[in-house]
Amino acid sequence: MNSASMDIAASSAAAMGLTAAGVVLVLVLLGAFWMGARIRRREPAPPRPEEQPRTPDGGPVREVLENREPDEIPRGDRRLTPHELPNLGNSPTRTGSQKGRRRWREGNSGSFGSGGPGG
């Protein structure tokens, strides 16, 4: 065999390998589509309009704005571990005594610094 026939054989083998890889890829994609369709058929159907959630008779539920204050941690002569704290270590809160929102002092920006002209 001469080198020209070797080049042709190598290029045809590479072409056959790429073709086989393409066919395998298409078969994998078709299998994934088929399996996804089977899984989709097993899922429950979407809810009908009468099964959809409805708003309560009293109207939509509104959000409650309130100031919360932390409960005091029990004091003792030793350090408490989280499982000894009330509410299993989560910080319990209660409704605060202030009814309105806390505001910044007039003339201050509420950020770092005074919010004034500087100096």
Side-chain angles (χ1 to χ4, degrees):
M1 271 185 158
N2 60 15
S3 98
S5 62
M6 292 292 277
D7 289 339
I8 293 172
S11 65
S12 67
M16 288 177 62
L18 287 175
T19 303
V23 168
V24 168
L25 180 65
V26 167
L27 289 176
V28 167
L29 290 174
L30 285 173
F33 180 77
W34 174 75
M35 191 167 67
R38 280 187 58 203
I39 291 171
R40 174 77 179 182
R41 268 184 265 140
R42 278 190 253 147
E43 290 178 353
R48 294 187 303 270
E50 60 269 9
E51 296 173 341
Q52 294 289 335
R54 302 220 186 296
T55 56
D57 292 336
V61 178
R62 301 287 181 216
E63 116 183 345
V64 176
L65 295 175
E66 63 182 5
N67 292 324
R68 304 290 295 173
E69 293 178 351
D71 281 343
E72 293 297 321
I73 296 177
R75 301 279 179 198
D77 56 345
R78 64 182 184 84
R79 177 182 282 179
L80 297 176
T81 58
H83 70 275
E84 295 173 322
L85 292 174
N87 219 8
L88 296 175
N90 294 326
S91 177
T93 60
R94 63 181 183 276
T95 303
S97 59
Q98 290 182 340
K99 295 299 178 191
R101 287 176 38 198
R102 286 186 286 188
R103 301 289 183 176
W104 301 111
R105 286 195 335 241
E106 190 64 37
N108 287 348
S109 67
S111 184
F112 296 109
S114 67

